[in-house]
Amino acid sequence: MQFETKIAVVLRDDLAVWQKANVTAFLVSGVAGTSPDTVGESYRDASGNEYLPMFVQPVLVYEADAPALRRAYERAMDRGVTPAIYTSELFATGHDEANRAAVAAVSAEDLDLVGIAVHAERKTVDKIVDRLRFHS
């Protein structure tokens, strides 16, 4: 099935495995929280147990070195696509308010990005992630 939109996560390639998983989880929550149409209906098994809904489309995960991640961030911003961002400082915080304060303390050009997530029209996302490789 071809979707009109695309969800993409770009992770810095020098992160530890646990950091990649953590960053991905936080970033996609930004997409789900601001784009309710990306989340489907609850799941139900044959026994009648209900489970939480998930995205209705795949999430594509890419990896990049720091300059390529910055380029993807700038491409998103230049195209009017608001990304979810995760900076290195957020590994040392413990809650949402501290996370937002850590980001607010740094100008956009000085953000030490370790990951971004975007949700936009498919062709726009393709331009944002152009030349990046899928996470392996």
Side-chain angles (χ1 to χ4, degrees), residues 79-92:
R79 287 169 173 76
V81 176
T82 303
I85 63 166
Y86 200 101
T87 67
S88 63
E89 294 83 4
L90 302 187
F91 290 123

Side-chain angles (χ1 to χ4, degrees), residues 44-133:
R44 186 176 306 276
D45 66 24
S47 299
N49 297 309
E50 189 169 315
Y51 305 97
L52 295 174
M54 295 186 283
F55 286 123
V56 297
Q57 66 188 94
V59 176
L60 304 171
V61 182
Y62 298 85
E63 60 184 2
D65 61 16
L69 174 58
R70 172 58 65 170
R71 185 175 60 246
Y73 165 83
E74 290 172 359
R75 287 176 176 171
M77 298 298 283
D78 289 347
R79 287 169 173 76
V81 176
T82 303
I85 63 166
Y86 200 101
T87 67
S88 63
E89 294 83 4
L90 302 187
F91 290 123
T93 59
H95 55 87
D96 185 52
E97 187 177 333
N99 290 350
R100 285 184 280 110
V103 171
V106 181
S107 65
E109 58 273 0
D110 293 327
L111 291 170
D112 185 13
L113 296 168
V114 298
I116 65 169
V118 293
H119 172 246
E121 194 270 332
R122 191 176 76 243
K123 290 181 183 182
T124 301
V125 174
D126 288 343
K127 290 177 183 173
I128 292 169
V129 299
D130 185 47
R131 297 191 337 237
L132 297 181
R133 63 189 180 277

